[in-house]
Each structure stands twice: as structure tokens, then as C-alpha cells.
Amino acid sequence: MSQLKNITGVEALIDSLLEEHIDTIFGYPGGQVLPIYDGLYKVSDRLTHVLARHEQGAVHAAQGYARATGKVGVCIATSGPGATNLITGITDAMIDSTPLVCITGQVPAGLLGSDAFQEADIISMTMPVTKWNFQVTSAAEIPTAIAKAFYIAKSGRPGPVLIDITKNAQVETTDFEYVPCTGIRSYIVKPPLNTDLTGLAVDMINRAERPLIVFGQGVKLSGAESLLIDFAEKGNIPMASTLMGLSCVPSDHPLYMGMLGMHGNVAPNVLTQEADVLIAIGMRFSDRVTGDLKTYAKQAKVIHIDIDPSEINKNVRVQVGIHADVSDALNEMIPGLVRAGREEWFAKFRQKFEEEYGSVIERDVEPTGEALTMGEVVRNIARRVDGRAVVVTDVGQQQMIAARYSYFRSTRSFITSGGLGTMGYGLPAAVGAKVGVPDRQVVLYTGDGGFQMTLQEMGTMMQYGIGVKIVVLNNEFLGMVRQWQQLFFGRRYSHTEMKNPDFVGIARAYGIPGRRVQTREELEAAIGEMFADDGAYLLEVAVEKEGNVFPMVPAGASISDLLFNE
């Protein structure tokens, strides 16, 4: 707890951030945050500010930083368009449970509601997409608001918080006392564990012949990765991950059966429909995982563990709903599990994997055609980094291919926009991830469409020497949209074909070396060249123009109704 007399609102803000042990902020200056930026100038030895090239870049970078480190990401923008440019990233963070504190400037309190220059009601706009937001109109409110913001952002189910600070509150003075927030009345961060329910769940699992664990990002957010593995090993239970849960469990763990979802692996998708007990851990049963809810796992008894009670019975009706922190629940349940053989059950997973390998994986990663495939590029890079890199993706075909064919050895190694599916997320998120974990290799997979939405963030990489490896998988299409047009709209490629610039030339203009690859013979040497360079690098790979991502569960279909080709 710190106490100071008669300091400005800006000084109170900066001291509050330092009290929260914040050392990195992503942002973009403007008129209504000039006092804050003047304050940041004076503490540059203690607070690093990373200048993005667009406010959306700043919020996505803060997301990448938070996802890679497990800390709260912080971003700052001015009022009006600066603040509204944060909204996409805030919404993305809300649905993906990413802890953020977003600070915006605002016109002086006396001008609120007058349509002053660059005034926008950012509080009303962000209310549906934040865990909490608050407008500060006096300097005295700042310490309490910041303490509460960080507590809310990182506790329970994490998410974004926005604090809007009027210009007068920044410059007027106040006595400063910082008291960290440790609780809010009626806000239950860690619900008490109902041991009757965990006991019932354990008994149900022990009696199961075909149990399946389906886990999501809640495992990471709880820090329960090792507990999840212990849980699966104790009961000898197969595990499958959602997109957001990837990297919680090492890819080569013998009980890990792959990824669920629209473009997930065959075995976990199909065998969800045969499981007699489904154990959902820190995941939300999104439509991309369940497909048609009318046919989803109707034969299974469902156990759902989640810290957010609104997720339990929201989409899928469950027999046992455990409202708890994942770590608490697993710690309680592990001792009671009894190991079972389940050889026939595991044999089914092996059989389905062989079917998928022969029908999809082989042609993706070991193609016989002349054109390069996204799968072989990702698989070659995965072998090179040996599962030790942080993989960041944009949204689209490259996202799904990277999820399918990357290897992971440690947690927090896969960062993507899951629920909102934000194109342009990849590059700034990779920048934030690299800032957060500078000693780890960060590899970005992006498409020619998503890359062009935020490629200006290469300027941030140039200014701060941020060594992200950028892999542009260029098929000269908005690939995922084109795939849907091919499969469901009679190949009417309406406004999805793209004429692209010289990506390597653009990267070089930002001081980033690069290379374009068009043939299989060039690929290995180009990958070697990329990783031989200690800094940033852009590798553009011309891949097959009409390549598709399979298997695929069509929207609204049962998860067992998979497409394997067009």
C-alpha cells in the first residue's frame, strides 16, 4: 500500500499501475491522453510503452501478451476514434476470456454530452463486451478504479475491463493511497466446492466403459494443466481439446486424442457420439464443438466443470454440473478415480486416427501434387521448432491447419482468436506474445487476407526489434470463405479472390528480411533461412489456390457427419 500527498491524476494512474506490477503497456497517443503520455515519458525506466500502429493493433498485442504470459494485458488509447478502435479487441477478449485492462482518455467532465471534439460514449458502447467498465471524472477515483479493474480482469473467469478517464481527472490533484482490491461484495471469484457433486462425478466416471475428457482454455486459466494430465492418467481416460485448449497437454501424450470441432480430428468428434460419460473441463460447448445440439452426445451422461455458472446447462444439458475452479475440482476428484483398462475404447480411437490419416492427413502433409499445401508447410515448421515455439495464428484456413499440424510441448503455446474469429488478430497478437516471452520463438501463421488487415504492425516490430517469424500462406483467396462458396454456394466465388502486393517487398520496407517460396524444392532451405535469422523474418509461401481444410463438419450438421473431400 502506497500513500502520497497532492499528486496529479496521471501520477496516481501510473503509481497504481506500478503497484499492480505492470511493466508493459501497448498503446497509441492522442489529444485526450496527452497528460498520461507525458507521465509515461517520466517513468520510461520502469514502464515500457510499446507504440502500436493502430489502436486495434494495441489491444490485440495486449491480448497476445496476456495469453502468452498469463498476466493482465494493458492497452491505452485516446477518446473518440481511438477508443472505438479498441472495441473489436475488447469483444474478442470477452468471448475468449482474456484478462485486459483498457484505459481510454475522455473529454473533460464539463463537456460530457456536448458532442465535443472526439467525444464518444465508450462506456455505453463497451458495456455488453466488458466484465466491468467505469468512467473516472475526478482524480480521487483513479486508485480505487484501477485496483478494482485489475481484480475483476484477472479473477474468476478472466476478461476485459475498460476505464475511461476524463481529461480533468488526469490533471487535477489528489491525495493518493493505493489499496489492492481483494474482494467485491456479491462477486464470487472462487465458488465453494460441492463435494457431493464431485463424488457423484467420480462414481459416474469409475463406472463408465467409454469416458471421454473434453477440455478447453479454462484449464490454462486455472493453471490446471498438470492436474488434468494426472486426472486422465489416474482413470486411464482419453482426452480431446477444443481449439482454445490446445497446448494444455503435450501433443504426444498417449492419452491425447486430438482436437474437437468443425475442422477437428475424426476420432474425438465421432467418438463423442459413442462416449457413455463426457467430462467437460473448462470449456463452453460452442457451436463449433457441438455441431447440431439436437444430436450432440445424446447417449452420454455429461459432467461439466466450469468457473462460470452461466455456461453450465447453457448449450448442453448436463447430469452433473460442478460450478468450481478447475484446479479445485480436479484436486478433489483425482484421489477417488479408479484406473480401468478400456482397451476396446482406445482401439476405436486408433482405428479412427488411421482412417483420418489415410483420407486427409497424408494428402495434407505428404502431398503428391505439384502445388504446395498449407499442411506440409506447417508440419515442416513444426518439426523444425520441435514443439517449443509459441504458435500464433490469424483466422481462416491457416488457423485450422496450424491447429491441426503443429506440435506442442508446453502450455500457452497456441494463441488464436477463437470465439470472435477476428481477422487481423494474428500479427499484433504475435507482437504482444513476443514482447511477453522474448526468450521463446514466436511463429505467426497468417493468410494473405488477414495479414493485410494489420500488416502495419510490422512498423512496431521494426521500431522495437521484435523478432516474430511471419509465415504468410498465400492462396490469393479469402480461403475459408472461398471454401464455403465452393462447397455450399456452387463455386460462385463472389469477391473472395485477391490480387495481392509484394509481401516480401513490404516487409523489407519495414527492415524485415524475407523470402517467397513457390516450389517444394525451395521450402526446406527457406525455413532454415528463416530460423537462422535471429530477428524478425517473413516467409511467404504460395500454396494451392483451391486447397480446402478437411475433415469438416458442415454448419448445423451432427459432429459425426464429416466431409472428407469436396
Side-chain angles (χ1 to χ4, degrees), residues 9-22 36 72 74-76 100-104 132 134 136 139-154 161-165 176-181 184:
V10 164
E11 291 170 321
L13 171 63
I14 290 172
D15 285 345
S16 297
L17 293 173
L18 292 172
E19 287 284 338
E20 290 290 340
H21 308 291
I22 299 303
I36 296 175
V72 177
V74 181
C75 63
I76 185 169
L100 294 184
V101 170
C102 304
I103 299 166
T104 53
W132 179 64
F134 184 73
V136 171
E141 296 175 302
I142 289 175
T144 300
I146 293 297
K148 191 174 178 181
F150 277 92
Y151 180 73
I152 293 172
K154 65 189 176 184
V161 170
L162 182 134
I163 303 296
D164 191 45
I165 308 178
F176 174 79
E177 180 180 26
Y178 195 78
V179 180
C181 183
I184 299 169

Side-chain angles (χ1 to χ4, degrees), residues 240-258:
S241 175
T242 67
L243 179 72
M244 296 294 288
L246 287 174
S247 81
C248 281
V249 173
S251 301
D252 61 357
H253 192 284
L255 295 178
Y256 178 65
M257 300 299 159

Side-chain angles (χ1 to χ4, degrees), residues 53-64:
R53 294 305 186 263
H54 189 283
E55 291 88 357
Q56 184 176 349
V59 66
H60 289 329
Q63 288 177 272

Side-chain angles (χ1 to χ4, degrees), residues 97 156-157 191 216-219 280-285 303-313 320-326 329:
S97 304
R157 179 178 180 174
Q217 189 186 207
V219 175
I281 304 176
M283 54 88 75
R284 59 186 182 86
F285 287 115
I303 299 163
H304 191 179
I305 304 169
D306 206 288
I307 200 165
D308 184 349
S310 71
E311 293 295 348
I312 298 173
N313 286 314
V320 181
I322 301 172
H323 174 212
D325 182 277
V326 167

Side-chain angles (χ1 to χ4, degrees), residues 383-420:
R383 287 173 179 149
R384 183 70 181 232
V385 299
D386 194 28
R388 302 183 191 281
V390 176
V391 174
V392 185
T393 82
D394 210 276
V395 169
Q397 287 183 316
Q398 38 70 37
Q399 175 189 34
M400 295 296 104
I401 291 292
R404 285 179 56 82
Y405 298 123
S406 295
Y407 304 136
F408 304 107
R409 290 184 180 273
S410 58
T411 191
R412 295 193 177 275
S413 294
F414 185 74
I415 298 173
T416 196
S417 172
L420 196 63

Side-chain angles (χ1 to χ4, degrees), residues 449-483:
F451 184 50
Q452 291 182 81
M453 290 189 171
T454 52
L455 60 74
Q456 72 275 2
E457 297 307 324
M458 285 191 290
T460 306
M461 293 170 60
M462 173 180 66
Q463 182 164 346
Y464 298 97
I466 298 169
V468 172
K469 308 301 184 185
I470 304 168
V471 182
V472 181
L473 299 175
N474 185 357
N475 55 16
E476 299 181 341
F477 270 106
L478 297 175
M480 189 60 84
V481 184
R482 184 213 56 77
Q483 177 169 334

Side-chain angles (χ1 to χ4, degrees), residues 3 10 13 28 59 66 88 97 111 119 137 140 189 240 291 302 330 358 412 435 437 442 449 485 494 517 538 540 544:
Q3 290 182 310
V10 164
L13 171 63
Y28 202 95
V59 66
T88 296
S97 304
L111 293 179
E119 181 190 1
T137 57
V189 171
V302 181
L330 295 184
R412 295 193 177 275
V435 170
V437 288
V442 175
Q485 289 173 334
S494 178
V517 169
L538 185 141
E540 179 190 359
E544 55 182 343

